[in-house]
């Protein structure tokens, strides 16, 4: 069982009691504004999403972690790695992504969690390249990508929703150079 710890967070696999708090995150229109077409998700959709995340762990050996606040045990959201099947033109690729509840925005938690997931991807999974996909005008996520050492490599259309996106990437060689 993979478990990552940072000074303020625990990144862990999903549990049944994560569905309700994650559904609350997914039900917030401001959180979902930059996800796909911006639609919120209910508890049943969230449950199916968590089940899909767990299947990816079994299939790939990596996936999206539940992000828990160390001091309180509260679920803040998720971060981690996934295969961006919704963007076939990028494949083969592994994407890093995150989604935290609004209560946790502006504290550097997404960057802290994503940095741990990025390290896991390069050091434990031995990935050669990790991408991140962001809808245009989502400056907060672009700032996180930049802090992670990622750089933009192009723009395209997300076929799942028709919105323009920017693709960032970081190679394992670049990661090694930036972490020394």
């Amino acid at each position: 069982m993979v478990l990552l710890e940072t000074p303020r967070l625990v990144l862990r696999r999903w549990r049944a009691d994560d569905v309700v708090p994650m559904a609350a995150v997914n039900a917030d229109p401001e959180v979902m504004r930059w996800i796909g077409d911006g639609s919120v998700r209910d508890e049943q959709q969230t449950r199916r999403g968590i089940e899909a995340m767990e299947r990816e762990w079994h299939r790939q050996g990596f996936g999206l972690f539940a992000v828990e606040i160390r001091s309180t045990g509260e679920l803040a959201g998720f971060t981690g790695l996934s295969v961006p099947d919704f963007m076939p033109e990028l494949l083969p690729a592994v994407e890093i992504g995150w989604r935290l509840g609004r209560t946790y925005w502006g504290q550097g938690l997404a960057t802290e969690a994503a940095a741990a997931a990025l390290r896991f991807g390069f050091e434990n999974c031995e990935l050669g390249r990790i991408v991140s996909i962001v809808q245009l005008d989502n400056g907060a996520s672009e700032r996180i990508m930049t802090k992670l050492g990622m750089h933009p490599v192009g723009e395209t259309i997300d076929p799942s929703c028709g919105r323009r996106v920017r693709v960032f990437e970081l190679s394992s060689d670049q990661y090694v150079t930036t972490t020394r």
Side-chain angles (χ1 to χ4, degrees):
M1 186 67 78
V2 178
L3 181 82
L4 305 179
E5 294 185 277
T6 72
R8 299 181 291 171
L9 306 169
V10 175
L11 281 63
R12 58 168 173 76
R13 298 283 293 275
W14 294 88
R15 301 185 303 235
D17 63 348
D18 292 327
V19 172
V20 170
M22 192 66 218
V25 172
N26 288 339
D28 184 334
E30 191 60 26
V31 170
M32 300 304 288
R33 177 181 178 193
W34 302 111
I35 310 299
D37 67 1
S39 298
V40 297
R41 298 188 184 137
D42 63 20
E43 191 172 315
Q44 184 178 13
Q45 291 167 311
T46 299
R47 180 176 286 105
R48 285 195 307 265
I50 289 173
E51 289 167 356
M53 291 180 215
E54 279 298 300
R55 282 193 302 276
E56 187 149 27
W57 273 103
H58 293 290
R59 189 173 54 253
Q60 303 288 349
F62 57 77
L64 295 167
F65 292 95
V67 175
E68 183 179 292
I69 304 297
R70 283 178 72 141
S71 62
T72 65
E74 295 171 51
L75 182 76
F78 69 72
T79 191
L81 306 169
S82 64
V83 175
D85 293 328
F86 69 99
M87 298 282 300
E89 70 189 77
L90 295 180
L91 298 176
V94 174
E95 176 189 15
I96 187 166
W98 47 85
R99 183 180 313 154
L100 298 183
R102 246 194 299 174
T103 305
Y104 305 102
W105 291 4
Q107 302 171 46
L109 295 173
T111 302
E112 185 176 323
L118 195 69
R119 184 173 47 256
F120 173 74
F122 285 127
E123 295 179 7
N124 297 82
C125 301
E126 299 179 352
L127 298 173
R129 171 181 81 117
I130 296 176
V131 302
S132 197
I133 303 161
V134 61
Q135 290 185 6
L136 298 188
D137 297 324
N138 183 349
S141 282
E142 285 201 16
R143 283 188 294 281
I144 293 168
M145 293 169 192
T146 301
K147 288 176 187 176
L148 294 173
M150 303 184 94
H151 59 278
V153 293
E155 292 183 10
T156 188
I157 301 289
D158 177 344
S160 71
C161 64
R163 292 183 174 183
R164 288 205 61 76
V165 295
R166 186 167 291 127
V167 179
F168 281 67
E169 78 172 19
L170 184 65
S171 72
S172 58
D173 290 341
Q174 292 164 331
Y175 173 77
V176 168
T177 302
T178 60
T179 56
R180 284 190 177 164

